[in-house]
Amino acid sequence: MSVPIARSVAQLREIVAAWRREGARIAVVPTMGVLQEGHLSLVRAALEKADQVIGTLFVNRSSSTARLIWPRIRARRRMPPSWRPLARTCVGLCGAFRPGHFEGVAIVVAKLFLQTGADLAFFGEKDFQQLQVMASHGA
């Protein structure tokens, strides 16, 4: 089995477009950090619901993959005004101890959704708080 690797948004969109022409249902497994067995179990679960699965790897803002999300890395990102309700969702979560964390996660995941055009997304239990934030905002 050949697994395509996209190293740019343009390459990713070409791959997804070919899958769409075939009528494929597409899932995305957004990952942050080092790939591990939990991520692979999410890919397996996604393959039960979709024809094709995109696994994304996003490490942090200083990594090379960050340039696809933030073309110009800034010292501090501000949450767009339309995302201000996101801050209310973070109340009671670990966001109180990690200022800006959930806003950053939401921005990255939203961009990954836009870039992949996936029909489904799979998140691990470890990402429960992140999933709660995304689900409460219709992502």
Side-chain angles (χ1 to χ4, degrees), residues 12-30 43 45-56 112-122:
L12 176 63
R13 288 184 175 152
E14 286 177 21
I15 293 166
V16 170
W19 290 342
R20 290 284 181 213
R21 285 191 295 274
E22 297 169 1
R25 187 170 189 189
I26 301 169
V28 64
V29 176
V43 169
L47 283 168
E48 292 178 12
K49 304 282 183 188
D51 304 303
Q52 299 289 347
V53 176
I54 299 168
T56 65
L112 291 174
F113 288 168
L114 290 171
Q115 291 172 355
T116 64
D119 302 301
L120 305 165
F122 287 75

